[in-house]
Amino acid sequence: MQTNPFKPTAGKTPPTIIGREDVLEEFNEGLTNGPGAPGRLMRIAGVRGTGKTVLLDECSRLAQSRGWTVIKEVATEGLCQRILEQLQPKFQAKHARFEPTVAGISIGSIDIERIGPSLRDAMRQTISKNGNGLLITLDEVQDAELDEVRTLSIAIQQVIGEDLDIAFVFAGLPSMIESIINGKTLTFLRRALPFDLKAVAVTEVSYSLEETIEASGMELQPGIAGQLAEATQGYPFMIQLVGYYAWQLARRAHTPIIGEEEAERGITTARERFCAMVIEPALQRIPPTCIAYLLSMASLGQTSSTSMVADALNKTPQQVSSVRSRLLRESIIEAPSYGKVSFAIPYMRDYLYEHKAELEVEL
Ligand SMILES: Nc1ncnc2c1ncn2[C@@H]1O[C@H](COP(=O)(O)OP(=O)(O)OP(=O)(O)O)[C@@H](O)[C@H]1O
Ligand SMILES: [Mg+2]
């Protein structure tokens, strides 16, 4: 029996990586063109569920297929030490004790800096030993301790300066651009080739859904691929959810054809899952003042002016600017142009609209 080809799970490689050819091409060309090629130092920004982790994994696969050593890391505490240990399994970090963080201040910062030279030497040795190259990927950069990222990037920068075969690709929420990249001492990271993951074109989604579904032995009634694609709004996680449930409902009904009924019910289920897995957790993480701001935005449109949002709350834009910053930092809203805000997550506006009454009670 055929298995469902769609992968609606964070970090799982989808049947086809849709609409990210630019990122992968640049990276691949970077591997070919040697030290100094832009694709050897890249940053990938995108809101939750846009496919950052999937892209880092694909870069890893591309590098591995050329015999490179690959280290995949997530930017949590102890990052430098973990990389060092992977490069030199026998390394006993004398100075690299990581004390717990006290009230948000890392008290191990001096130790972290001391690890830098060892890190650089270990990178050099790995590259010369395997004769190909070394790729380091770093995910969730918005959570990083600045000290750790600084130490890591200084080591990488030195190795790049020696014309050795190294590549560094890092990814995070769009807010990482402010917190990490604009940090004073990190000019090196600011120069990384930037990619902002946006929604994929709906026509591309439609074509790809059709191809994946047909390759799995299932068919689509004419017009259904377009209807499914439209419902995804080009958002990668929704592509997998919609594909998965439309396919699964046809399988449950023992039909090899996805028709109108499967499509409609598939879209409804996908939206419910999306709300439970993305929208509700995002709203639970923020205080009531942020929810009030979002409700005010929802009453105005997908995109609205910051002064109108403030007006609707009977406040001045200055009075709500910290709320707005918090929502930007959490990647729940975006600032598409000066003085404007819009929802960064699809279906967020619809959700707020539909749950307005119950959300207002909690304010
Ligand atoms: N280019 C793509 N085309 C189709 N599906 C994709 C694409 N990229 C990612 N996906 C799917 O979207 C979902 C989310 O991908 P991924 O976990 O990489 O996102 P993310 O940006 O890392 O999210 P988070 O910020 O929550 O870590 C997964 O189900 C994955 O299979
Ligand atoms: Mg991820």
Side-chain angles (χ1 to χ4, degrees):
M1 195 196 263
Q2 282 275 16
T3 53
N4 195 320
F6 294 98
K7 306 286 174 207
T9 296
K12 279 273 172 228
T13 298
T16 309
I17 299 179
I18 313 170
R20 306 294 188 220
E21 295 79 7
D22 51 347
V23 185
L24 295 170
E25 232 164 84
E26 193 79 51
F27 179 73
N28 217 2
E29 287 165 4
L31 293 181
T32 305
N33 291 334
R40 289 198 172 201
L41 178 59
M42 308 200 317
R43 74 168 133 98
I44 300 169
V47 301
R48 297 246 167 249
T50 43
K52 300 178 294 296
T53 303
V54 159
L55 277 177
L56 291 181
D57 282 350
E58 192 56 24
C59 289
S60 301
R61 254 190 294 278
L62 288 168
Q64 261 155 357
S65 72
R66 294 181 185 228
W68 282 43
T69 299
V70 175
I71 293 192
K72 296 202 264 186
E73 266 301 337
V74 178
T76 51
E77 210 171 341
L79 161 74
C80 290
Q81 187 180 353
R82 288 198 303 275
I83 294 183
L84 191 54
E85 283 169 0
Q86 288 176 71
L87 290 170
Q88 297 182 334
K90 285 195 213 108
F91 179 84
Q92 290 297 315
K94 270 193 252 110
H95 304 295
R97 278 178 300 102
F98 287 91
E99 314 278 346
T101 301
V102 179
I105 302 159
S106 166
I107 53 178
S109 62
I110 296 164
D111 292 336
I112 293 166
E113 272 168 31
R114 272 194 216 144
I115 216 174
S118 317
L119 205 50
R120 181 197 58 211
D121 293 344
M123 287 175 188
R124 282 188 192 135
Q125 277 165 18
T126 302
I127 297 164
S128 80
K129 208 158 74 191
N130 89 357
N132 291 305
L134 169 66
L135 165 67
I136 297 176
T137 71
L138 188 59
D139 207 354
E140 305 282 359
V141 169
Q142 74 286 343
D143 295 337
E145 294 272 338
L146 213 58
D147 285 340
E148 295 236 32
V149 182
R150 186 183 299 127
T151 301
L152 176 63
S153 22
I154 290 170
I156 293 174
Q157 186 173 16
Q158 287 169 336
V159 176
I160 289 181
E162 294 165 15
D163 273 351
L164 295 175
D165 276 305
I166 191 166
F168 181 44
V169 185
F170 58 101
L173 297 178
S175 56
M176 77 166 173
I177 293 167
E178 274 170 61
S179 56
I180 299 290
I181 295 170
N182 293 338
K184 269 196 186 131
T185 49
L186 297 176
T187 21
F188 165 70
L189 291 186
R190 216 177 306 158
R191 275 187 248 120
L193 189 64
F195 288 97
D196 289 317
L197 301 187
K198 296 286 177 207
V200 179
V202 169
T203 45
E204 249 186 282
V205 175
S206 168
Y207 176 75
S208 177
L209 283 175
E210 205 162 352
E211 216 178 39
T212 303
I213 287 168
E214 279 170 10
S216 77
M218 194 80 84
E219 273 175 57
L220 281 154
Q221 234 174 334
I224 296 296
Q227 187 186 338
L228 294 176
E230 205 66 55
T232 71
Q233 299 192 8
Y235 186 75
F237 187 38
M238 266 303 272
I239 300 173
Q240 300 307 311
L241 281 169
V242 166
Y244 185 89
Y245 285 107
W247 195 98
Q248 205 56 43
L249 287 165
R251 166 52 46 87
R252 281 184 208 160
H254 304 289
T255 160
I257 299 170
I258 299 177
E260 249 168 59
E261 172 159 1
E262 288 78 21
E264 265 168 37
R265 287 180 46 219
I267 290 167
T268 306
T269 310
R271 276 194 58 181
E272 282 164 11
R273 297 283 187 277
F274 186 74
C275 288
M277 290 159 83
V278 177
I279 295 182
E280 285 165 6
L283 294 178
Q284 274 156 14
R285 278 197 302 268
I286 53 176
T289 46
C290 288
I291 305 273
Y293 192 93
L294 292 173
L295 284 170
S296 162
M297 274 178 69
S299 68
L300 294 165
Q302 170 62 25
T303 301
S304 32
S305 89
T306 47
S307 56
M308 282 173 74
V309 178
D311 264 358
L313 290 165
N314 287 324
K315 305 254 188 211
T316 65
Q318 288 73 25
Q319 282 172 321
V320 287
S321 77
S322 66
V323 174
R324 177 178 159 275
S325 305
R326 166 88 189 256
L327 290 168
L328 284 168
R329 207 163 58 238
E330 300 259 351
S331 294
I332 292 174
I333 64 170
E334 294 170 320
S337 58
Y338 184 76
K340 299 268 188 230
V341 277
S342 64
F343 290 103
I345 300 172
Y347 293 112
M348 178 71 100
R349 186 186 175 212
D350 308 66
Y351 182 92
L352 290 162
Y353 224 83
E354 285 158 23
H355 296 80
K356 191 171 189 287
E358 57 197 272
L359 287 166
E360 274 173 348
V361 171
E362 290 170 30
L363 291 182

